Amino acid sequence: MVDTQRTALRIVTLGLLVAAALAVAPFWSPLVLGAWFADLLQPLLRTFQRWLGGRRRAAAAIVVLLVVVVLVPLVAMGVQVAFGLRDLASQLRAAFEGQESFAGVLFADGQAFPTMHDWAKIAARYPGNFWRAGSAVAQASFWSFLWVVVFLGALYNFAAHGRRSYRWLARHAPIPTRAFTRFARAFRETGHGILVGGGGTALVQGATATMVYVAIGVPRAWLLGPLTAVAALVPAIGTGLVWIPLAIELFVARDYGRSAAVAITGADVISVIDNLVRPALTRYGSLKLPTLVVLVAMIGGIGAFGPWGALLGPLAVRMASEALEI
């Protein structure tokens, strides 16, 4: 009788765990990022806690506020870059169809963000499509708002109560404590490796590339700079995915001076930064996976889970490798 009751309890518990996992699945990415950022910002959190006389929750609130101050301009920049990419993609399509030259695409200023006049013309010409598109945008904005709220809430809770939550999970996890500790270490390592080792290096290269492009006078510098940061995540060629075609196009357009400047700074400054910055950041975060495996996991994760699969893919592979070692 007792064994039957225990079996029933295990089945009920498993069912409830599956239901809980399905409930939080739409917000796994802000939860994971909240946990990673709370861990990364521990030194800052401890400093604030010391200044506030040991009040950890107040220190966590200040950390969240600082993240918001940094996050708002980054989101605004991301929106502007997204519209710039859309504009660039449409012009490249026109160039491939022979309606515009590639030099025209490169040197055109472009209107990255639609004006109110543009929206009014679209609404007047396509009222039905406009309202459907508006509904889709409103829905996407709502879910984006929820994503930010969940991320900030997770960041605060993990920063303020992370130790207590960790102890609770370690005590109740249905695996040995030693294995749980190793999984937790692998989870933390993945966050440090992606956000610090890879992301930090890419941000430094992207910022450097943006300053170089602006100094040289390259058109679309504020779009090509962030694109260079994204390209820096690709192994081997990295930032060359952006500055090599840019130098070639400038050369074809007979702008030899800027072409040479882009080629020289790209090879001797932007690319070399990877060799200087990455070893320094590796001390604070490195991922114990081969570069090719990380790249494949990112691309496969995006294909399987959408854009945030770039995080989930490497995390799943790293946790799986840890499970095999255990």
Side-chain angles (χ1 to χ4, degrees), residues 1-8:
M1 182 68 179
V2 174
D3 290 340
T4 303
Q5 290 176 337
R6 286 180 177 173
T7 301

Side-chain angles (χ1 to χ4, degrees), residues 6 8 15 38-39 62-63 69 83 85 90 94 102 128 130 137 144 155 176 196 198 216 256 265 267 274 318:
R6 286 180 177 173
D39 180 63
I62 294 176
V63 168
V69 170
F83 276 103
L85 287 174
S90 63
F102 285 102
F130 180 79
V137 170
S144 298
L155 174 61
V196 178
I216 295 174
Y256 303 120
T265 55
D274 181 77
R318 179 65 186 90

Side-chain angles (χ1 to χ4, degrees), residues 37-73:
F37 273 97
D39 180 63
L40 285 172
L41 296 174
Q42 281 299 312
L44 187 62
L45 178 68
R46 285 193 292 267
T47 300
F48 288 139
Q49 186 178 1
R50 189 167 56 252
W51 290 351
L52 296 171
R55 288 179 288 182
R56 190 173 182 84
R57 283 188 283 187
I62 294 176
V63 168
V64 171
L65 182 61
L66 289 176
V67 170
V68 170
V69 170
V70 174
L71 192 63
V72 169

